[in-house]
């Protein structure tokens, strides 16, 4: 390497790995922008600037802005689902979800608020909701009637969505621990009284 030349950040990284790393950087930038406190400031140019990449690399992974927005949303939903499926107790599930969605409010706003602000996500949100309901329904093993299980799971997901959205928007004046305790109590009491 001659004087004046700089080594590329991608030097020595195989092409497929470079593409995956760039895609990950773009998705992370998308989470930050789509989940920003002031709402989605998501343009291709803004994403590239946030990721420190050129538009060429954006279009290497995504055909357009809409595909990108859906990919960001799907990434957040998949991460949330993974955390929930690996939890062992209702408290563990709530704590993992709080860690993901409240401790990282941008991620929480992508999951819960972005579908209201981004028309392209209206369908994605509706497609993911049954997955979260099914997951909870299968955890309600004390309820033997499948119809009642489905109603309880649907009601709990709706209530938790409203609670987490209000918490993220600052409309609930409560501590993190109080919030977790309330969500766990709601899950346990509803699951055992149905």
């Amino acid at each position: 390497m001659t004087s004046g030349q700089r080594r590329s950040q991608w030097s020595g990284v195989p092409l497929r790995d470079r593409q995956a790393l760039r895609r990950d950087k773009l998705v992370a930038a998308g989470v930050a922008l789509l989940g920003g406190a002031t709402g989605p400031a998501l343009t291709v140019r803004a994403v590239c600037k946030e990721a420190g990449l050129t538009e060429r690399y954006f279009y290497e992974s995504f055909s357009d802005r809409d595909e990108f927005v859906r990919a960001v949303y799907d990434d957040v939903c998949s991460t949330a689902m993974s955390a929930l499926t690996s939890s062992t107790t209702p408290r563990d599930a709530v704590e993992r979800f709080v860690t993901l969605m409240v401790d990282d409010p941008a991620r929480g706003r992508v999951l819960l608020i972005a579908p209201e602000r981004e028309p392209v996500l209206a369908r994605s949100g509706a497609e993911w909701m049954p997955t979260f309901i099914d997951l909870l329904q299968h955890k309600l093993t004390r309820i033997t009637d499948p119809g009642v299980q489905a109603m309880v799971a649907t009601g709990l997901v709706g209530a938790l969505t409203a609670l987490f959205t209000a918490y993220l928007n600052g409309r609930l004046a409560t501590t993190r621990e109080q919030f977790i305790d309330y969500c766990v109590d709601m899950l346990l009491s509803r699951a055992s009284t149905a």
Side-chain angles (χ1 to χ4, degrees):
M1 192 179 317
T2 63
S3 172
Q5 285 183 325
R6 66 181 186 96
R7 186 175 161 92
S8 166
Q9 65 177 322
W10 309 114
S11 295
V13 179
L15 177 61
R16 179 168 285 160
D17 293 346
R18 279 183 275 177
Q19 290 171 334
L21 290 168
R22 288 190 290 258
R23 187 182 192 286
D24 290 347
K25 285 180 83 165
L26 290 163
V27 169
V31 170
L33 294 171
L34 189 60
T38 59
L42 201 87
T43 62
V44 171
R45 185 170 293 183
V47 169
C48 292
K49 182 177 179 184
E50 180 80 14
L53 297 169
T54 65
E55 288 184 29
R56 168 184 161 213
Y57 293 128
F58 179 91
Y59 291 108
E60 171 184 73
S61 296
F62 307 101
S63 61
D64 59 23
R65 180 190 180 278
D66 287 353
E67 180 186 347
F68 174 73
V69 170
R70 284 190 298 272
V72 169
Y73 186 74
D74 287 346
D75 181 75
V76 170
C77 288
S78 295
T79 301
M81 188 58 65
S82 177
L84 292 172
T85 56
S86 63
S87 62
T88 55
T89 66
R91 176 165 290 280
D92 184 38
V94 171
E95 287 176 348
R96 286 174 188 249
F97 202 75
V98 166
T99 298
L100 279 172
M101 301 299 154
V102 173
D103 294 352
D104 183 357
R107 190 177 300 277
R109 285 189 289 268
V110 168
L111 179 70
L112 300 169
I113 300 169
E116 298 170 7
R117 298 176 177 169
E118 278 288 335
V120 71
L121 291 182
R123 187 173 193 185
S124 295
E127 289 170 354
W128 271 100
M129 188 62 71
T131 307
F132 285 101
I133 292 169
D134 287 346
L135 173 67
L136 183 56
Q137 184 174 346
H138 287 89
K139 301 275 187 181
L140 298 173
T141 55
R142 291 184 190 170
I143 303 171
T144 56
D145 183 316
V148 174
Q149 265 185 348
M151 287 187 291
V152 170
T154 302
L156 285 171
V157 168
L160 289 167
T161 298
L163 281 168
F164 273 84
T165 301
Y167 194 81
L168 284 167
N169 283 336
R171 293 193 320 259
L172 296 178
T174 183
T175 67
R176 182 181 191 275
E177 198 57 37
Q178 287 172 319
F179 182 73
I180 290 172
D181 287 344
Y182 183 82
C183 290
V184 171
D185 289 345
M186 183 178 65
L187 285 168
L188 292 176
S189 66
R190 189 62 188 119
S192 64
T193 60

